[in-house]
Amino acid sequence: MYQTTRCVFKSKLNLKNVFRVCSTAAETATTTKEQERITSEGIRKKFTEYRYIYPEFLPSPEIKFRNAIREKLERKDMVARRTQIAIPEFYVGSILSVLTSDLHSPGKTEKFVGICIKREGCGLRAKFILRNVIDHEGVEVLYEMYDPTIQKIEVLRLEKRLDDELLYLRDALPEYSTFDVNMEAELLTEGAPVPINPIKIKLKPRPWLERWERKNLQGVEEINVPQHLWDRAAKSAKPWEKYDLMKTYMNTIPEEEQIEIFDEVKTQLQKLEITRKKMKRKRTFVKPTKLA
């Protein structure tokens, strides 16, 4: 009887140990899956930020322009160019200062300050347009981002606007496009989100360069046009296009392909970002003056 009881007691202990091991293994597996999920979400979030900071690394979504070998070689050239010149983070609506070498006067440089009104292109064909009003005359300069004549790109004010393009500034009052050529850079706290400027500009009276009433502009005050122009705009509108999933798919790069592209260049981009932050700290440091 005593031996039987001892055997039963041992079997219960063994079962408890088995249950304890199984529960520990299950908890470990759950923790590992949770860590993997958090890591994958962090990677996706980081690559989502890259999508907006480095949009030129994404190829054209049009099939007829795709070439995997050319795109890979272009990405290598873009990273190599970024090691020679610091191309900072900027968006449409940011105020930039660009210093270029003068093609017609060797040894001389030209500087232009303006607001970025458009950013387009991909790969080595990435471009952006700066606009400023100088001597009561609107001036626009189109820069190729990876042009070897560019010596320096500096962000004077990092911000976004309510629209993806600011071409309507061409038909706006001059004060919305006027910036001091000697403007000093405005420092933004490291890690702070990029501010969105909610300003709404006022257009000049017609005629305009484009039919702005036909565009869904968020950064423009109420547009005053005759009723028949609003009727024409309503007839030409295509509100169903935002529900066209196939068109959206054809005009975008799949997320899996974006992760693969940025995974290819993330190491070099991270090194360049660390170097840029170090140089920024050096520039912002002010050496104290020695008191007499």
Side-chain angles (χ1 to χ4, degrees):
M1 183 67 182
Y2 174 73
Q3 292 180 352
T4 305
T5 305
R6 187 170 59 180
C7 291
V8 171
F9 181 71
K10 286 184 177 180
S11 63
K12 288 183 178 180
L13 286 177
N14 292 333
L15 286 175
K16 286 183 179 179
N17 291 333
V18 171
F19 289 147
R20 187 180 296 110
V21 171
C22 292
S23 62
T24 305
E27 290 176 359
T28 305
T30 304
T31 305
T32 305
K33 289 182 179 179
E34 185 68 18
Q35 291 177 350
E36 291 178 354
R37 185 184 65 81
I38 294 174
T39 304
S40 62
E41 287 180 357
I43 293 174
R44 287 181 179 274
K45 183 178 180 181
K46 187 66 176 178
F47 287 148
T48 302
E49 295 176 357
Y50 281 179
R51 181 192 313 169
Y52 301 107
I53 300 176
Y54 311 106
E56 68 274 6
F57 278 89
L58 296 178
S60 173
E62 296 190 32
I63 301 298
K64 59 181 180 181
F65 296 136
R66 296 300 303 272
N67 187 303
I69 298 177
R70 175 182 57 79
E71 292 167 4
K72 195 177 188 67
L73 294 175
E74 281 190 353
R75 286 194 289 270
K76 289 185 178 181
D77 289 343
M78 292 158 67
V79 172
R81 176 58 178 162
R82 283 177 174 267
T83 60
Q84 303 297 322
I85 177 177
I87 302 179
E89 172 187 0
F90 70 94
Y91 305 90
V92 172
S94 299
I95 302 174
L96 308 179
S97 171
V98 180
L99 184 68
T100 58
S101 57
D102 194 342
L103 297 176
H104 306 288
S105 301
K108 294 186 178 181
T109 58
E110 296 179 349
K111 177 184 176 182
F112 186 78
V113 175
I115 182 173
C116 180
I117 62 173
K118 187 176 182 179
R119 191 170 174 177
E120 62 180 354
C122 56
L124 295 175
R125 297 165 300 285
K127 306 172 184 177
F128 60 95
I129 302 176
L130 298 186
R131 177 180 174 83
N132 200 350
V133 176
I134 302 175
D135 292 336
H136 308 288
E137 189 70 30
V139 181
E140 293 184 4
V141 182
L142 172 64
Y143 291 102
E144 294 185 359
M145 188 176 298
Y146 294 93
D147 187 349
T149 61
I150 295 180
Q151 297 185 5
K152 184 180 180 182
I153 301 177
E154 184 180 7
V155 178
L156 303 180
R157 181 186 298 164
L158 181 63
E159 65 179 12
K160 300 178 182 179
R161 291 292 184 95
L162 299 176
D163 298 299
D164 295 332
E165 294 181 357
L166 302 180
L167 298 179
Y168 52 75
L169 288 177
R170 298 170 177 172
D171 291 318
L173 298 177
E175 56 262 28
Y176 296 106
S177 302
T178 305
F179 304 96
D180 187 4
V181 294
N182 298 317
M183 178 180 176
E184 296 290 337
E186 299 178 2
L187 299 180
L188 188 66
T189 306
E190 187 175 338
V194 180
I196 300 177
N197 192 340
I199 185 174
K200 291 183 177 289
I201 64 101
K202 185 176 182 181
L203 297 177
K204 295 184 292 187
R206 296 174 64 245
W208 298 324
L209 295 175
E210 294 190 37
R211 298 175 179 177
W212 302 118
E213 72 276 2
R214 298 191 178 188
K215 303 180 183 293
N216 185 23
L217 301 177
Q218 304 296 322
V220 177
E221 291 184 1
E222 184 177 357
I223 301 177
N224 296 320
V225 293
Q227 184 59 37
H228 69 277
L229 293 180
W230 285 116
D231 296 338
R232 292 179 184 177
K235 289 181 180 179
S236 62
K238 299 178 181 179
W240 58 85
E241 285 189 348
K242 62 181 179 180
Y243 303 108
D244 191 344
L245 299 181
M246 182 55 67
K247 183 176 181 179
T248 303
Y249 175 78
M250 296 299 293
N251 291 334
T252 55
I253 301 295
E255 184 178 359
E256 295 77 11
E257 188 174 353
Q258 292 185 24
I259 293 177
E260 182 180 351
I261 291 172
F262 286 122
D263 187 58
E264 176 186 335
V265 296
K266 68 176 182 180
T267 304
Q268 296 92 331
L269 292 178
Q270 288 174 354
K271 290 181 180 179
L272 293 174
E273 184 68 17
I274 292 173
T275 304
R276 186 185 66 82
K277 289 181 179 179
K278 289 182 179 179
M279 296 299 296
K280 185 178 179 181
R281 293 192 191 101
K282 288 182 180 180
R283 290 196 300 268
T284 55
F285 175 74
V286 179
K287 186 176 181 180
T289 57
K290 185 176 181 180
L291 299 178

